[in-house]
Amino acid sequence: MYEKIIKTDLGADVKIIDLRTDTISRPTQEMKEAMYIAEVGDDVYGEDPTVTELERRSAELLGKEDALFVASGTMANLIAIMVHCSQRGCEIISGDKAHTYRLEQGGTAQIAGVQTAPVKNKDDGTFSLDELREKIRKNPDMHEPITSLIIVENTHNLCGGKALPLDWLEKVSSIAAEHNIPVHMDGARLMNAAVFLKVTPRRVVRDVDTVCFCLSKGLGCPVGAVLAGSTDFITKSRRIRKVLGGGWRQAGVLAAAGLVALDTMIDRLRIDHDHAFKIAKAIHQMKSNIFKVDRAKVQTNILLMYVDRNKVDIKELQRRLQTVLDTDSVRASVRCSSLKFDCVRFVLYHEITAEDVQLACDKIQLVIKEYDEIFNLENYDTVA
C-alpha cells in the first residue's frame, strides 16, 4: 500500500521515538559518573570490589544466598541450565513461548546438550499445571530423558510483559518439590513484575530456586545481568561462566552502573508502565476494526498492538510508523518491533519522556486512521 511513498530521509524537525526494545536504553549520567570512578580489580580472581558489592546487594535484594554478575540474561539462563542439568540425558520443561525456548538460539540444545519439553503458554504467561505434571519424567523408563529443571519467565516477553501470578508460582514450586526438581526464573524484567505487583523482588522469587534479572533493559545499564541462588549453585555457575567466555576482569566499571540502578531505577519503572498504558489507551480510542489492543492486559512496559493480517502487512506497518511524509501533521518517527506474526511491539524505558509518548500516540493514531480510511473506502467502492 505504502511501498511507493516510503521515505528514508528524516528532516531536522522529526523526533525519532525508538520503542523497539528497552535494551537500547542508555546509562544515566549518575551511572556514567559511577563507572568513571569505580574501584576495580580482577573479577576472575574475585578481586573486583565493585562486582563483589553488586553481587552481595543483588543476593540480598532477592533473598538468595549468593549471586553472580554475568554479561547477559541469555548467558545467565544458559549457565543456570548447565548447572541444574549436569548429566547427559536431561530435559527441561518450559513454556512454548519462553525466551529460553524461542529466542536464545536453541542454546539449551546447541551448547548445554539439553532437550526442552514445551508446555503451551497461556495469554498471561502461565501454563497448565496439569500439563506440567504430565510432562514430568522423574525416574523414567530407560528410553526417556530425565526432567531436571522447570523454567518460568517473569515478566513474560511474548505474552506482552505479563507478570506471573504469585499464587501460580507457588503451585509450580509445590509440584516441582514433589519430584525434587528445581525451578529457575528467567526474570529478565523481574523488577517490572515486582513494581506491577506492588511487592518486593524477594517476594516475587520466593518460590523459585534460582533466578536472573537483566540490568541492561528497563534498569538502563549498558551491560549485564545477575544470576542468583544458593552458594553451591553460584560456585558451580562461576565455573560455567568461565568456560562460556564470561570470566571478565575489571568488570567493576560495569557493575558500578548496576549499583546505581538498584538504588535509582527500580521504583521509577512505574512511569514506563503508565506510558505503555497511555499508548494502549490511544490505540483503543480509535475503535479500529483493523488494530486492536486489550488495555486490561497491559501491565508493565510492553505493549502488543494486534493487526488484521488480511489487511495489514507487519513490515509495511513498521515502515509507515517509522516514515514521516511531507504531508504528515505529526513529525515523529516511531520505531517498533515484531516478534509475533500478528502484532507489533512497543517497549517503554527511562529515556522515553511524556512528550515522546504523546507524539507516539499521535503518530500511531494518524497511521491507524490512514489504514481505516483506505479500507472503509474500498468497502464503499465494493458495495457501490
Side-chain angles (χ1 to χ4, degrees), residues 91-338:
E91 181 175 71
I92 64 174
I93 299 175
S94 79
D96 65 344
K97 295 179 182 177
H99 198 278
T100 53
Y101 181 61
R102 295 277 295 273
L103 298 170
E104 294 184 4
Q105 210 182 97
T108 299
Q110 182 183 170
I111 299 174
V114 177
Q115 176 170 292
T116 299
V119 293
K120 184 176 177 57
N121 275 120
K122 299 179 182 179
D123 289 342
D124 64 354
T126 66
F127 44 73
S128 166
L129 297 177
D130 290 335
E131 187 176 357
L132 171 62
R133 287 183 181 278
E134 292 173 0
K135 292 281 186 177
I136 291 175
R137 298 195 272 196
K138 200 69 178 177
N139 301 318
D141 177 273
M142 69 171 64
H143 299 89
E144 299 177 290
I146 300 171
T147 302
S148 303
L149 180 65
I150 297 169
I151 296 182
V152 296
E153 184 178 336
N154 200 14
T155 63
H156 202 290
N157 189 350
L158 291 183
C159 291
K162 303 295 193 309
L164 299 180
L166 297 176
D167 60 340
W168 181 81
L169 285 171
E170 187 174 358
K171 291 172 183 175
V172 170
S173 176
S174 178
I175 293 171
E178 291 176 19
H179 301 276
N180 196 30
I181 300 171
V183 179
H184 172 68
M185 178 181 289
D186 172 5
R189 296 181 177 89
L190 165 65
M191 302 308 169
N192 293 88
V195 169
F196 171 75
L197 294 170
K198 298 180 180 178
V199 298
T200 63
R202 176 187 292 245
R203 175 62 188 88
V204 176
V205 305
R206 184 193 71 183
D207 298 307
V208 299
D209 298 278
T210 59
V211 58
C212 70
F213 70 92
C214 286
L215 294 163
S216 57
K217 291 186 171 69
L219 297 186
C221 295
V223 176
V226 175
L227 178 63
S230 68
T231 300
D232 179 64
F233 170 79
I234 293 300
T235 298
K236 294 174 180 176
S237 295
R238 195 174 296 275
R239 179 175 176 82
I240 297 296
R241 184 187 69 170
K242 179 64 177 172
V243 78
L244 294 178
W248 41 21
R249 304 299 175 173
Q250 290 73 35
V253 293
L254 299 173
L259 287 168
V260 173
L262 296 186
D263 288 334
T264 65
M265 299 299 285
I266 296 176
D267 291 340
R268 68 147 307 282
L269 292 172
R270 168 55 60 189
I271 298 172
D272 300 335
H273 300 179
D274 291 343
H275 284 168
F277 187 81
K278 182 173 182 179
I279 295 175
K281 184 178 179 181
I283 296 169
H284 178 78
Q285 287 174 341
M286 296 302 291
K287 300 187 184 304
S288 172
N289 291 323
I290 302 173
F291 302 90
K292 301 290 184 180
V293 64
D294 189 337
R295 292 177 299 168
K297 293 181 179 179
V298 179
Q299 297 181 352
T300 58
N301 67 322
I302 298 176
L303 162 66
L304 302 181
M305 180 173 73
Y306 289 87
V307 304
D308 183 341
R309 288 296 309 282
N310 293 320
K311 298 178 179 178
V312 178
D313 177 82
I314 292 291
K315 295 295 184 183
E316 186 178 290
L317 172 62
Q318 288 177 283
R319 288 197 300 272
R320 180 61 186 104
L321 286 168
Q322 187 172 326
T323 300
V324 180
L325 303 176
D326 292 339
T327 55
D328 283 354
S329 58
V330 183
R331 312 304 291 172
S333 172
V334 177
R335 299 179 179 179
C336 59
S337 59
S338 179

Side-chain angles (χ1 to χ4, degrees), residues 336-347:
C336 59
S337 59
S338 179
L339 300 178
K340 300 169 67 176
F341 72 95
D342 58 350
C343 66
V344 292
R345 184 185 73 156
F346 303 100
V347 187

